[in-house]
Amino acid sequence: MAKTALIQRELKREKLVAQYAKKFEELKAVINDAKKSDDERMAARLALQKLPRNANPTRQRNRCEMTGRPRGTFRQFGLARAKIRELAFSGDIPGITKASW
C-alpha cells in the first residue's frame, strides 16, 4: 500500500490539471499556431510558464486504484499487475483466465 500522502498528492494534481486544463490548451494552441507573430507566441510561452507546475498533465502518475502502487499499472484496468493477478485468479475480472498450454 502506498503512503497516503503520495496518493493525496496525486489527487491534488488531478484537481489542478482539471482547473487549468482550458487555459493550458488555449496557450498551447497559440504556441503551436504558426500564423501568430513571434511576440504573441513568446508571450504565450511565458504565460504557460507562470501556471503552477503541477497543472501540467505530464506530472500526473498512473496509480493502482486499490493499492496506490505507481509502477506496473495497466491502463485498461487501472490496477497494478499484482492486483490484476489476484482478481483474475479469484474470477473477479470477467473474460480473464489463467493461461495454460
Side-chain angles (χ1 to χ4, degrees):
M1 188 74 181
K3 289 185 178 179
T4 310
L6 298 178
I7 295 170
Q8 292 302 318
R9 184 187 305 161
E10 285 299 322
L11 294 175
K12 187 177 176 183
R13 282 183 181 149
E14 284 179 23
K15 288 178 186 174
L16 264 177
V17 167
Q19 181 181 349
Y20 286 98
K22 186 178 178 187
K23 182 78 170 168
F24 191 83
E25 290 300 320
E26 290 172 357
L27 290 172
K28 289 295 269 185
V30 171
I31 291 169
N32 294 328
D33 188 4
K35 295 178 183 177
K36 300 278 186 184
S37 69
D38 288 340
D39 292 335
E40 288 176 320
R41 293 169 70 187
M42 189 62 179
R45 282 191 199 102
L46 293 174
L48 188 65
Q49 288 177 0
K50 293 200 189 246
L51 293 180
R53 179 175 285 174
N54 286 333
N56 193 337
T58 59
R59 304 238 337 152
Q60 288 180 303
R61 181 82 174 170
N62 291 334
R63 289 188 174 268
C64 176
E65 291 293 325
M66 296 177 83
T67 62
R69 180 171 165 61
R71 296 181 180 212
T73 305
F74 285 68
R75 289 182 191 157
Q76 183 178 3
F77 303 106
L79 300 172
R81 56 184 171 75
K83 278 296 171 185
I84 290 174
R85 186 170 192 264
E86 286 176 18
L87 295 172
F89 286 166
S90 64
D92 293 337
I93 302 176
I96 299 210
T97 56
K98 187 174 187 298
S100 60
W101 57 92

